[in-house]
């Protein structure tokens, strides 16, 4: 979502992949990029779009405004891909193919790059206010076993401000409301409910309390007041909206078949945009392969 009224996405046409935009009424889409190559992995916030472009020079990160203007390349090297964009459109994190275990921060405005250190095993992205990043690092405990420590690091300096360790059964990580800790799905719970662990807390607390089906994913609204929770119950996958504390769940979609691939909040925190449909997978047997 480039702004409260514009959707941005990638689509193929004429042996290339371009970035397109449309409004909420579904008007005729407009191509924001052109030429040969593949423009993919678009992320948008506050009128800023960043994306990966694959062409004869390799794969690099580019930026433009919500109307396709101001197109410019942000990274150069052996290959780079954007991994997150701050809500104000001012910063990105990206990965470099020549240092996959490192984390890199770049200012969209002046292309200043900050190396956030290595090794990094995962990256969550920017806190709700954009002042911190969540990075994970694998370390050995006293018994020699590996464990993952999540660190909240300052933007742009990279100073570690807080850290925590999630339970081993945790998946689907995200910042919690207000940036006070992390949300995660608890796979030890048959319904995979959402839990929260704050920095400095002794134990996580449950957020949602569904008793049937399974939570597949969730998104916190930009204002931090609500959660969009994707659940599969029986053969159907639908979205529920709850308060940030998991209370007052309301089913907001009524799909009877198919899958929901993504559910994202619009910047106004009042509307959701979903990608839904049917997924097909083909098995291909290749004989006499050499």
């Amino acid at each position: 979502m480039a702004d409260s009224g514009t959707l941005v996405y990638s689509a193929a046409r004429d042996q290339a992949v371009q970035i397109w935009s449309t409004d909420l009424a579904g008007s005729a889409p407009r191509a924001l990029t052109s030429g040969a190559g593949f423009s993919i992995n678009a992320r948008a916030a506050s009128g800023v779009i960043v994306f990966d472009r694959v062409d004869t020079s390799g794969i690099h990160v580019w930026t433009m405004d919500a109307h396709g203007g101001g197109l410019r390349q942000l990274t150069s090297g052996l290959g780079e891909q954007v991994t997150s964009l701050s809500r104000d459109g001012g910063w990105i994190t990206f990965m470099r193919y020549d240092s996959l275990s490192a984390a890199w921060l770049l200012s969209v405005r002046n292309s200043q790059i900050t190396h956030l250190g290595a090794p990094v095993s995962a990256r969550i992205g920017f806190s709700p206010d954009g002042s911190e990043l969540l990075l994970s690092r694998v370390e050995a405990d006293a018994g020699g076993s590996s464990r993952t420590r999540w660190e909240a690091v300052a933007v742009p300096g990279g100073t570690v401000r807080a850290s925590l360790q999630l339970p081993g059964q945790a998946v689907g990580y995200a910042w919690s409301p207000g940036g006070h800790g992390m949300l995660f799905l608890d796979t030890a719970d048959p319904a995979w409910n959402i839990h929260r662990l704050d920095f400095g807390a002794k134990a996580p607390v449950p957020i949602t309390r569904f008793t049937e089906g399974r939570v597949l994913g969730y998104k916190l609204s930009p204002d931090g007041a609500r959660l969009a929770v994707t659940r599969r119950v029986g053969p159907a996958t639908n979205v529920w909206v709850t308060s940030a504390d998991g209370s007052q769940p309301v089913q907001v979609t009524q799909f009877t078949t198919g899958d929901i691939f993504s559910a994202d909040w619009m910047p106004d925190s009042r509307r959701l945009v979903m990608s839904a449909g049917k997924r097909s997978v083909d098995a291909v047997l290749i004989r006499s392969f050499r």
Side-chain angles (χ1 to χ4, degrees):
M1 285 71 70
D3 52 46
S4 291
T6 305
L7 304 179
V8 176
Y9 59 95
S10 295
R13 177 174 291 184
D14 299 330
Q15 298 182 328
V17 176
Q18 307 296 351
I19 306 295
W20 301 77
S21 70
T22 187
D23 59 28
L24 297 183
S27 301
R30 185 170 75 91
L32 302 181
T33 58
S34 61
F38 300 88
S39 297
I40 55 175
N41 191 28
R43 299 161 189 262
S46 300
V48 175
I49 300 171
V50 294
F51 60 97
D52 301 331
R53 182 167 181 83
V54 185
D55 54 26
T56 55
S57 69
I59 180 169
H60 307 291
V61 183
W62 290 67
T63 187
M64 59 186 170
D65 63 34
H67 305 289
L71 180 68
R72 61 189 174 94
Q73 185 173 334
L74 290 176
T75 66
S76 60
L78 298 180
E80 307 83 35
Q81 288 186 263
V82 61
T83 53
S84 63
L85 171 67
S86 62
R87 287 184 183 172
D88 65 359
W91 298 91
I92 67 166
T93 58
F94 68 99
M95 56 179 287
R96 287 175 31 172
Y97 286 7
D98 61 352
S99 56
L100 293 176
S101 63
W104 301 86
L105 177 71
L106 182 145
S107 168
V108 176
R109 297 180 180 89
N110 60 24
S111 297
Q112 172 190 343
I113 294 177
T114 302
H115 180 211
L116 298 177
V120 173
S121 57
R123 308 158 181 84
I124 293 299
F126 295 89
S127 60
D129 66 1
S131 66
E132 295 176 324
L133 281 166
L134 265 178
L135 306 175
S136 72
R137 307 181 196 275
V138 177
E139 59 185 12
D141 61 18
S145 299
S146 296
R147 65 179 185 179
T148 299
R149 184 181 76 255
W150 288 93
E151 298 177 343
V153 302
V155 174
T159 303
V160 177
R161 292 179 172 174
S163 66
L164 57 78
Q165 184 179 355
L166 294 177
Q169 70 272 15
V171 298
Y173 324 113
W175 281 97
S176 66
H180 301 301
M182 294 181 68
L183 300 175
F184 64 92
L185 302 180
D186 185 359
T187 61
D189 173 2
W192 285 28
N193 275 294
I194 303 169
H195 286 62
R196 186 189 78 241
L197 181 62
D198 291 338
F199 297 116
K202 294 182 178 180
V205 296
I207 299 298
T208 58
R209 292 173 171 81
F210 297 111
T211 58
E212 59 179 346
R214 175 168 290 182
V215 175
L216 303 179
Y218 60 93
K219 283 291 179 66
L220 181 67
S221 61
D223 63 5
R226 291 184 287 182
L227 286 164
V229 183
T230 304
R231 300 174 60 214
R232 178 177 290 279
V233 181
T237 302
N238 282 287
V239 174
W240 277 252
V241 171
T242 77
S243 298
D245 62 3
S247 63
Q248 301 178 310
V250 176
Q251 185 175 343
V252 297
T253 64
Q254 304 295 331
F255 297 116
T256 57
T257 61
D259 296 302
I260 295 176
F261 308 122
S262 65
D264 293 291
W265 289 96
M266 295 295 290
D268 60 11
S269 296
R270 296 174 55 198
R271 294 168 291 180
L272 288 164
V273 177
M274 280 161 279
S275 173
K278 293 183 178 180
R279 190 194 309 269
S280 63
V281 178
D282 295 327
V284 179
L285 175 64
I286 301 176
R287 297 182 182 276
S288 302
F289 178 76
R290 294 182 180 179

